[in-house]
Amino acid sequence: MKWEENVRKVTPYVAGEQPKKDNIIKLNTNENPYPPSPKVRELAARMNLDGLRLYPDMNAEKLVNVLAQYYHVEPSQVFVGVGSDDVLALAFMTFFNGEKPVLFPDITYSFYDVWAEVFRIPYKTCPLDENFCIRKEDYFAPNGGIVIPNPNAPTGILEDIRMFEEIVAANPDSVVIIDEAYVDFGGKSALPLLEKYENLMVVQTFSKSRALAGLRVGYAIGNKKLIDYLKDVKFSFNSYTMNMPAIEMGAAAVLDDAYFKETVGKIVKTREWTKEQLKKLGFSFADSKSNFLFVTHEKVPAGEIFAALKENGIYVRHWNKPRIDNYLRITIGTDEQMRALVAFLEKYFV
């Protein structure tokens, strides 16, 4: 068919399975197991829905101002979007337009190569070392931009912020994006580096630590000029991406810092308990600083464990990809959910 010759064909990103079943334990998409802040729920209950007949604030000023105050930056340094995926996709479109390849790890968030393909951006993946760590020397090569998550996904490994400063400093002609979707679970943010480097942008999300994956709120922080370029592309593409409830409830979530820290603390405590239990069962893994573990078993193939868990209503993530096909990514759930996971595995390995 002739019309197909003009179709842009890409292999799409594949998200974790969203099962339509009751009474399952869902540990496959790194969602927060706890509800959003009570302030978010209170606001939702009294929200005046008559306002939905109007367009939302295209600048999302209420949310931008709250984030700027929280992170001690100027509002002009903050950009918000529909989840960090929206922010990152717009960043790819805005900053990665040269002939040199964009660099990112070979084992990482699997949306990066999809965006590169759909926007026709040349890219090169840089292999992690045998311990799944970044080799900083790979990012000292000529490039058209760099994007690296910290902690990385799906490995959960946190890299030293000093290494990222070396990478940013070595690439003054490229925009370097640090994707910090999981940084709240034990990482140190690269945000302080913004005072020294105008080519750095830090991206975070409300989907993990703030328990608002269903609301879709993400944001970037960088210098004003960089953020202005990002806004120009956004407003040329779709001016009203942030809806009114997301702006209002997102701001409420940021203002409830006590609940945020309490929830993150519970997840970290459960993560550390789960590490000890899985070690006893013969699993090995890097020291994750995220809300998930990336594990492999000493005897049983990951694919077999994945299938057995799923058959018994416990969903984790498995990729049939080189280097990681014998690993499972297990999201940290509630204490009850993780005890059920461990109890099943104890019986399974008998």
Side-chain angles (χ1 to χ4, degrees), residues 46-57:
R46 66 174 189 271
M47 188 171 287
N48 179 10
L49 298 183
D50 290 347
L52 293 181
R53 66 185 179 81
L54 303 172
Y55 285 111
D57 173 12

Side-chain angles (χ1 to χ4, degrees), residues 268-282:
V268 169
K269 184 178 179 180
T270 304
R271 180 189 70 199
E272 297 308 304
W273 177 88
T274 305
K275 287 179 182 178
E276 294 303 316
Q277 305 311 308
L278 293 184
K279 285 178 184 176
K280 294 175 185 177
L281 292 171

Side-chain angles (χ1 to χ4, degrees), residues 132-134 149-152 155-161 163-164 180 182-183 185-189 286-290:
F132 294 144
C133 292
I134 289 169
N150 195 42
N152 196 6
T155 65
I157 293 174
L158 179 75
E159 302 281 3
D160 193 311
I161 203 68
M163 182 196 71
F164 286 102
E180 295 185 342
Y182 302 99
V183 75
F185 298 103
K188 182 178 179 181
S189 176
D287 185 24
S288 173
K289 295 299 182 182
S290 59

Side-chain angles (χ1 to χ4, degrees), residues 4-113:
E4 285 190 278
E5 295 177 4
N6 295 317
V7 172
R8 177 163 293 189
K9 302 178 181 70
V10 295
T11 301
Y13 168 76
V14 179
E17 186 176 356
Q18 297 284 6
K20 308 299 182 186
K21 299 178 181 179
D22 296 324
N23 302 317
I24 65 165
I25 296 176
K26 190 172 183 295
L27 306 174
N28 66 331
T29 49
N30 296 345
E31 293 147 324
N32 195 311
Y34 300 105
S37 159
K39 293 186 183 297
V40 172
R41 286 174 278 166
E42 292 167 9
L43 178 63
R46 66 174 189 271
M47 188 171 287
N48 179 10
L49 298 183
D50 290 347
L52 293 181
R53 66 185 179 81
L54 303 172
Y55 285 111
D57 173 12
M58 62 187 290
N59 292 303
E61 285 189 12
K62 184 170 186 176
L63 179 57
V64 165
N65 290 339
V66 166
L67 285 167
Q69 184 177 19
Y70 187 83
Y71 290 108
H72 307 292
V73 297
E74 295 299 320
S76 59
Q77 294 180 263
V78 180
F79 176 90
V80 295
V82 185
S84 60
D85 287 342
D86 179 47
V87 175
L88 287 163
L90 287 167
F92 269 61
M93 198 186 310
T94 304
F95 303 118
F96 300 158
N97 290 288
E99 296 180 356
K100 297 175 184 176
V102 171
L103 306 179
F104 47 83
D106 65 333
I107 300 172
T108 193
Y109 186 31
S110 52
F111 228 140
Y112 297 157
D113 59 345

